[in-house]
Amino acid sequence: SNKSVVTEFILLGLSSSRELQLFLFFIFSVFYGAAVMGNILIILTVITDSRLHSPMYFLLSNLSFIDVCQATFATPKMIADFLSEHKTITFKGCMSQIFFLHVFGGSEMVLLVAMAYDRYIAICKPLHYMTIMSRRTCAVLVGVSWATGILHSASHLVFTIDLPFCGPNKVDNFFCDLPLVIKLACLDTHVFEILVLTNSGLLSLICFLLLLISYTIILATVHRQASGGTSRALSTLSAHITVVVLFFGPLIFIYIWPFESFTIDKFLSVFFTVFTPLLNPMIYTLRNKDVKEAMKKLRNQHVGSKEAF
């Protein structure tokens, strides 16, 4: 049975300095707003421009949606807490943060694999691309990514929510990070920490290896092709690979790095929840000519409609 007596957790945040917190409030407010608006802009661009109604951009718009969710599950509270002396979160709120963090993280990992599969079919089997990457296939890939994220998160939460929390309640981060919360339980949590490491590490490793194999085959195929579309394919691939590195880099350090460093963990948590959702739309916009042209078209339509009004 649930023997918890802790009703709330105290989030120690990024800094105890009042002056630094005010500075961070302004900085992260700008970054969060830019991340959300940038990803929403990509979603609207893909929806409104018929030239982007293709499997690659359908998957990209879903990645942007997950990034909006990833940036929103904890960052608004972190920003609000910069102005608050008492940085607390309820037990249910803490469990919710843990759940959504792993839902969005697991979903994004699988979606990145789906995007790599899309590029593999487009470059290695171009004549069969539209047949293989049908609307149904794309819907299934997105559905599988969300289902994997939910199952991955539920497998964590099913034992975490019943752990006995009977005293310590200080979490040394700006959100309820699962490994830190488990350490607060009033029992030997060594086995549970191994389960978390195994669960998250295994999913991350499988997705990373699939991505590594996919992009190795794709790059080898592109290298063999001497056509005019090679530079364009490399440009698209470089954006995909950059996003993969930015996403899996923090995960490798957080869950696989054997040494504890709360300063590094906090930095990587910020990078994962704020900067990755901010950088993704910038990378895809700057490296993709079609997206840039579609955004210009959307902006011109908006300006034209305002002038007509």
Side-chain angles (χ1 to χ4, degrees):
S1 61
N2 190 347
K3 301 178 181 179
S4 298
V5 295
V6 171
T7 58
E8 66 179 18
F9 292 94
I10 298 172
L11 302 175
L12 299 184
L14 298 179
S15 172
S16 58
S17 168
R18 188 63 181 168
E19 292 77 14
L20 183 57
Q21 287 186 60
L22 291 174
F23 173 74
L24 292 175
F25 169 80
F26 173 76
I27 293 296
F28 283 108
S29 295
V30 173
F31 285 164
Y32 172 69
V36 172
M37 293 304 297
N39 283 290
I40 290 177
L41 180 59
I42 286 182
I43 294 171
L44 291 176
T45 302
V46 172
I47 292 174
T48 57
D49 196 308
S50 59
R51 294 175 300 175
L52 302 183
H53 291 176
S54 66
M56 182 177 78
Y57 295 112
F58 173 75
L59 297 175
L60 174 59
S61 64
N62 278 276
L63 177 67
S64 292
F65 177 74
I66 292 177
D67 279 339
V68 171
C69 297
Q70 188 72 44
T72 303
F73 88 95
T75 307
K77 175 164 177 54
M78 175 186 69
I79 293 171
D81 282 346
F82 286 137
L83 303 180
S84 174
E85 292 185 11
H86 304 287
K87 302 172 177 58
T88 60
I89 185 171
T90 65
F91 182 84
K92 290 183 179 179
C94 184
M95 294 300 110
S96 296
Q97 281 194 343
I98 291 173
F99 176 74
F100 287 119
L101 168 65
H102 289 275
V103 167
F104 302 140
S107 299
E108 184 158 344
M109 275 190 279
V110 179
L111 188 61
L112 288 172
V113 175
M115 295 174 75
Y117 175 72
D118 169 75
R119 290 300 82 204
Y120 167 76
I121 298 298
I123 293 173
C124 299
K125 300 179 184 295
L127 298 180
H128 304 285
Y129 178 68
M130 293 310 298
T131 303
I132 297 174
M133 294 302 297
S134 62
R135 288 187 178 184
R136 181 178 179 179
T137 301
C138 292
V140 168
L141 290 173
V142 172
V144 168
S145 70
W146 280 102
T148 303
I150 292 171
L151 289 173
H152 166 66
S153 184
S155 66
H156 283 312
L157 205 64
V158 70
F159 68 82
T160 305
I161 202 167
D162 279 332
L163 288 176
F165 296 97
C166 53
N169 67 338
K170 292 183 179 180
V171 180
D172 193 12
N173 211 327
F174 63 91
F175 67 91
C176 286
D177 191 18
L178 181 58
L180 298 180
V181 173
I182 288 178
K183 290 179 183 293
L184 301 177
C186 300
L187 49 73
D188 184 2
T189 59
H190 182 67
V191 174
F192 295 106
E193 290 174 32
I194 292 175
L195 285 174
V196 170
L197 183 65
T198 303
N199 190 337
S200 297
L202 190 61
L203 179 61
S204 301
L205 182 62
I206 290 172
C207 290
F208 186 74
L209 289 176
L210 288 174
L211 287 165
L212 189 64
I213 293 169
S214 298
Y215 285 120
T216 300
I217 295 173
I218 293 169
L219 289 172
T221 303
V222 170
H223 181 70
R224 288 197 303 266
Q225 294 174 348
S227 62
T230 301
S231 60
R232 182 171 180 173
L234 286 174
S235 177
T236 302
L237 286 175
S238 64
H240 283 273
I241 293 172
T242 303
V243 168
V244 167
V245 171
L246 288 174
F247 183 85
F248 280 93
L251 285 180
I252 291 171
F253 273 91
I254 290 173
Y255 288 106
I256 299 178
W257 190 250
F259 307 106
E260 289 188 0
S261 175
F262 291 120
T263 303
I264 294 177
D265 284 349
K266 286 183 180 181
F267 171 77
L268 294 174
S269 296
V270 169
F271 190 86
F272 182 65
T273 57
V274 180
F275 289 105
T276 298
L278 174 65
L279 292 172
N280 283 359
M282 295 173 60
I283 292 167
Y284 281 111
T285 302
L286 294 175
R287 302 292 298 179
N288 193 300
K289 183 179 178 181
D290 292 336
V291 174
K292 285 193 288 186
E293 290 179 353
M295 284 184 174
K296 288 180 182 179
K297 181 180 176 182
L298 183 63
R299 183 192 63 187
N300 293 336
Q301 289 176 345
H302 178 67
V303 173
S305 63
K306 287 181 66 176
E307 289 177 350
F309 180 76

